[in-house]
Amino acid sequence: MGKSLTYKIIEKNRISESHEQKEDLTVKVNQTLTQDSTGTMVYLQLDAMGVQEIKTDLSVAYIDHNTLQTGFENADDHAFIKSAAAKYGIIYSKPGNGICHQLHLERFGKPGDILLGSDSHTPTGGGLGMLAIGAGGLDVAVAMAQGIYTLKVPKVMNIELAGKLQPWVSAKDAALYVLKLLTVKGGVGYIIEYSGEGIRNLSVTDRATIANMGAEAGATTSIFPGDEVVRDFLVRQGREKDYTPFEADDDAEYDKKLIIDLGIIRPMAAKPHSPDNVDEVRNIKGVKVDQVAIGSCTNSSYTDLMKTAAILKGKRIHPDVSLVIAPGSSNILKMMAGNGALGDLLASGARIIEAACGPCIGMGQAPRSGGISLRTFNRNFKGRCGTETAEVYLVSPETAAVSALTGYLTSPDEAGLKNPVVELPQNFAVYDGYFIFPAEKKEDIELVMGPNIKPFPVGKPLPQKLECKLLLKVGDNITTDDIMPSNARLLPYRSNIPELSEYCFGTITKDFRDRARENGGGFILGGENYGQGSSREHAALVPLYLGVKAIIAKSFARIHRDNLINSGILPLVLTDKNQYDLFDEYDEIEIDNAAEALKSRNAIKVLNKTKGLEVLCRFEGSEADAEILRAGGYLNCIRAMRKGAEGNV
Ligand code: MIC
Ligand code: SF4
């Protein structure tokens, strides 16, 4: 049997012996990326590890999430990250340069490499044929310090794309179609590998759009082959030297296989408030629209924005609609300024904002109360746009642009317009104005820490007995946006855990911090797919700060489970999911000798003292994960390892 592309790359980079009998495997990480809202923690942790130099081939620190600088806080964070980049030999991308994932495609991604990024949409790099995985900040810090990453042995799902997308149907519609099939938890435990004749007509950025939204299905990552399409893209970016062909064997073995005919996909939309709540636009058309937002790491490429400009050229945006566009990179913006497309957007009445994440993470452009916003983004969780009562639909750039003209959610193929076809430029613009490349010889560089940068909490070794109240009981698919919301008001405090703690679980209850304080910490009960969404480790660090000891759930999302383990919070899975109903908020819970159960890989007994009953939970991590939990988090483990190594000298 032949090999999948995934396992070809894993084998090229594998450090641990054999993945066959083992539950996890360790690989060399070639590249890392961080962004500002997770990056401050990453570099604080790197500093706490006492690292002198990084071990990756290339690491980039992007500033793209919080670029508003409403107060000194962000500027402090940026200055800190810039100093850390200089100190450790990391490329620094200044605010205004663009969105990390789009920039990484343009400038640094390489087929066959492994990229680890402190952002859940790092899989966007899969469009280039790289194994690009999103992780918590501490995992990325360790990847820089030691050049390695340990992941659960992944299953590989092959999605074979047949046929061809119809006019007015684009990669975003295919991504939404996949989400409809898989749901927000259907990809958990898998790497999705795309193949088939259908991919030959998809450009690198089309593929990146599809790989990007694999994150919404919970997949570890998604990957397309490093084929001629990738070579062509790299040639146009002036980076042909970075091309190495990487494809799966024709008879590759997969754990699961799906075949999708691209030809049957129609313009799609994810309705409020979940990316898998997908329907064809023609079935829901006619919804009155207040705002349209085009951009984000899903749909801000040159092609996406040129199509938008072509649709809007010579026309006026509907008077009731505010259309806002955030380009993916400064290079795209420059090219569009040069070829006249920017002028077409402005003439139609579009609002052009900085090349950054912007409205995608609620940094401005919140819709009016009860407003309807169509967005080309990847997440439409309730409140994420900055307005609790707004309703967000996720759509393609074509659907977004046409609807901005009509004022109603409109299936673009039914509007009687000419389908825009965009040719790639012979040479993409490549300017380096916003990058700071590290100096060859690093002088003694001090980290610049302003007053917004506060120490982060570190866990304690697992005690013999955990005895606390159940502070909160939540349902299925709780997102990290629920656990630790992010918006224009809160994003400035990503390096200030005490300040953030007031808003923990803010979409569910306003008094979680009080509950935790009054009860000296406690437990949380979750449903399926607890912690889906973003990679932000703040969704673990803030509960840790508030004394949360364990989360008991029906199942966990991958990155969040890893973040809990890294922070020293026990993620426990109910052996019998029906027993979820046996718990109520404020029940007294006791877990005795969890450390021993973790060691022996036995079930963990959770006693509900209030109800007088016991349930069994399992820990789904590896032996190494159990070790981390016993030590009270990854940082404690690393410090102990370093101490041991120093002791042996
Ligand atoms: C997101 O899209 O939710 C974010 C903001 O990019 C997060 C990272 C963060 O919370 O800083 C992600 O996707 O990991
Ligand atoms: Fe930025 Fe949005 Fe992409 Fe997250 S999903 S990286 S906030 S553009």
Side-chain angles (χ1 to χ4, degrees):
M1 266 292 187
K3 287 204 175 75
S4 62
L5 172 57
T6 301
Y7 273 97
K8 281 190 178 175
I9 299 179
I10 286 177
E11 256 150 49
K12 173 177 82 68
N13 280 36
R14 193 171 64 207
I15 289 173
S16 56
E17 277 304 286
S18 145
H19 68 264
E20 264 139 40
Q21 292 93 31
K22 294 184 103 185
E23 47 198 345
D24 54 24
L25 55 93
T26 301
V27 288
K28 174 179 164 44
V29 174
N30 307 102
Q31 306 188 350
T32 61
L33 71 77
T34 59
Q35 39 87 343
D36 48 311
S37 63
T38 54
T40 45
M41 278 300 152
V42 175
Y43 300 111
L44 284 171
Q45 286 157 343
L46 203 58
D47 182 44
M49 285 180 219
V51 167
Q52 297 304 325
E53 56 175 353
I54 55 162
K55 299 259 169 60
T56 47
D57 306 339
L58 174 124
S59 288
V60 192
Y62 295 96
I63 306 291
D64 56 356
H65 277 59
N66 190 358
T67 56
L68 280 189
Q69 303 185 206
T70 45
F72 66 91
E73 292 86 356
N74 298 123
D76 279 10
D77 285 354
H78 301 170
F80 167 66
I81 294 174
K82 181 164 174 278
S83 66
K87 178 170 173 162
Y88 297 116
I90 294 163
I91 300 168
Y92 177 75
S93 170
K94 290 165 82 174
N97 196 12
I99 303 170
C100 55
H101 308 304
Q102 173 64 31
L103 285 167
H104 211 83
L105 280 178
E106 291 178 5
R107 300 302 315 280
F108 305 113
K110 281 187 189 175
D113 264 10
I114 294 187
L115 165 72
L116 197 72
S118 66
D119 190 279
S120 66
H121 289 105
T122 304
T124 314
L128 265 184
M130 70 186 325
L131 206 61
I133 302 175
L138 190 48
D139 282 319
V140 176
V142 172
M144 279 191 266
Q146 301 179 356
I148 57 166
Y149 177 58
T150 300
L151 70 157
K152 260 194 164 185
V153 171
K155 292 180 281 180
V156 185
M157 182 191 306
N158 175 226
I159 301 189
E160 186 184 322
L161 299 180
K164 205 173 166 217
L165 291 170
Q166 295 186 38
W168 289 106
V169 181
S170 69
K172 176 60 162 283
D173 301 305
L176 291 170
Y177 188 88
V178 170
L179 262 159
K180 186 178 166 69
L181 289 181
L182 295 183
T183 77
V184 289
K185 54 183 180 6
V188 176
Y190 285 99
I191 289 181
I192 303 176
E193 198 171 301
Y194 286 88
S195 66
E197 271 313 300
I199 64 172
R200 308 288 162 206
N201 295 313
L202 297 176
S203 69
V204 163
T205 49
D206 288 341
R207 295 172 180 194
T209 297
I210 296 172
N212 174 282
M213 285 200 80
E216 275 51 71
T220 303
T221 188
S222 302
I223 187 165
F224 284 80
D227 58 7
E228 272 305 304
V229 174
V230 172
R231 196 186 67 82
D232 177 71
F233 177 81
L234 290 173
V235 169
R236 291 173 198 262
Q237 290 285 355
R239 297 205 286 127
E240 191 177 6
K241 64 173 181 12
D242 288 340
Y243 178 69
T244 319
F246 261 95
E247 300 210 36
D249 290 333
D250 288 340
D251 57 346
E253 200 181 353
Y254 294 105
D255 298 288
K256 188 171 176 175
K257 196 165 167 71
L258 294 177
I259 300 176
I260 295 176
D261 178 1
L262 292 175
I264 64 165
I265 300 175
R266 301 287 308 255
M268 311 293 279
K271 296 174 284 183
H273 296 282
S274 179
D276 64 357
N277 191 14
V278 173
D279 204 344
E280 291 184 1
V281 177
R282 61 179 169 171
N283 296 335
I284 47 175
K285 65 185 175 197
V287 176
K288 179 102 175 84
V289 173
D290 301 286
Q291 183 196 56
V292 174
I294 298 179
S296 89
C297 56
T298 317
N299 280 122
S300 60
S301 67
Y302 175 82
T303 314
D304 287 338
L305 300 195
M306 286 298 292
K307 272 195 237 168
T308 304
I311 293 168
L312 299 181
K313 188 173 177 162
K315 305 189 180 64
R316 290 281 291 277
I317 289 155
H318 190 280
D320 297 341
V321 174
S322 169
L323 170 66
V324 56
I325 299 176
S329 75
S330 53
N331 282 328
I332 296 172
L333 193 52
K334 287 191 200 98
M335 282 188 281
M336 295 181 71
N339 66 18
L342 181 61
D344 295 333
L345 292 176
L346 292 169
S348 73
R351 303 166 68 181
I352 310 297
I353 56 173
E354 196 175 22
C357 298
C360 179
I361 187 56
M363 293 306 291
Q365 311 299 326
R368 71 169 174 84
S369 26
I372 303 287
S373 178
L374 305 187
R375 299 180 161 214
T376 65
F377 308 166
N378 48 41
R379 290 184 175 142
N380 58 347
F381 305 143
K382 197 166 192 297
R384 180 177 161 102
C385 61
T387 305
E388 274 299 310
T389 54
E391 307 221 317
V392 174
Y393 291 73
L394 305 175
V395 297
S396 70
E398 290 87 337
T399 301
V402 171
S403 304
L405 292 174
T406 60
Y408 292 88
L409 177 56
T410 306
S411 197
D413 52 343
E414 295 178 345
L417 296 170
K418 192 166 162 278
N419 181 35
V421 179
V422 172
E423 293 293 327
L424 290 182
Q426 198 55 41
N427 296 303
F428 282 98
V430 179
Y431 300 95
D432 276 341
Y434 295 79
F435 282 113
I436 301 181
F437 292 92
E440 278 280 303
K441 271 177 101 191
K442 294 194 283 305
E443 287 128 54
D444 264 352
I445 293 164
E446 287 291 313
L447 293 177
V448 178
M449 291 206 205
N452 188 43
I453 299 180
K454 298 279 188 276
F456 58 90
V458 179
K460 295 203 178 61
L462 201 59
Q464 166 72 25
K465 195 181 270 187
L466 295 170
E467 250 181 316
C468 297
K469 284 201 175 136
L470 186 69
L471 295 176
L472 189 69
K473 178 173 177 177
V474 292
D476 291 345
N477 296 319
I478 288 297
T479 72
T480 49
D481 280 357
D482 294 314
I483 305 169
M484 198 51 259
S486 224
N487 54 37
R489 197 155 53 88
L490 296 184
L491 214 51
Y493 298 108
R494 284 298 185 91
S495 29
N496 189 339
I497 300 288
E499 177 69 29
L500 280 185
S501 68
E502 191 184 333
Y503 306 93
C504 190
F505 285 106
T507 65
I508 296 164
T509 169
K510 300 294 172 220
D511 69 345
F512 184 76
R513 182 167 75 170
D514 295 342
R515 292 188 199 189
R517 280 188 174 161
E518 280 157 21
N519 293 288
F523 298 102
I524 290 165
L525 183 68
E528 296 280 7
N529 201 24
Y530 179 86
Q532 68 157 330
S534 130
S535 69
R536 74 188 66 132
E537 53 191 339
H538 305 75
L541 287 174
V542 173
L544 173 70
Y545 174 78
L546 293 174
V548 172
K549 311 279 188 288
I551 316 282
I552 302 164
K554 292 184 185 171
S555 65
F556 287 89
R558 176 186 66 91
I559 306 181
H560 186 58
R561 189 209 52 208
D562 291 351
N563 285 338
L564 290 172
I565 295 172
N566 286 349
S567 308
I569 298 178
L570 276 172
L572 299 179
V573 178
L574 284 166
T575 310
D576 175 358
K577 291 179 181 178
N578 294 324
Q579 291 181 328
Y580 170 90
D581 298 328
L582 303 178
F583 291 85
D584 288 302
E585 284 180 4
Y586 298 107
D587 282 354
E588 291 275 358
I589 311 288
E590 183 184 299
I591 303 177
D592 198 10
N593 214 355
E596 192 44 50
L598 285 175
K599 200 169 188 177
S600 52
R601 312 310 301 269
N602 285 337
I604 296 181
K605 292 179 187 150
V606 176
L607 179 65
N608 184 335
K609 294 205 284 190
T610 309
K611 305 270 162 57
L613 51 91
E614 191 175 79
V615 305
L616 291 181
C617 289
R618 55 175 194 275
F619 171 62
E620 292 188 335
S622 65
E623 259 170 54
D625 292 334
E627 185 66 41
I628 292 174
L629 280 169
R630 285 202 298 275
Y634 205 178
L635 208 55
N636 291 339
C637 268
I638 292 171
R639 280 174 173 162
M641 265 155 45
R642 290 183 78 90
K643 252 199 177 149
E646 280 159 21
N648 288 335
V649 177

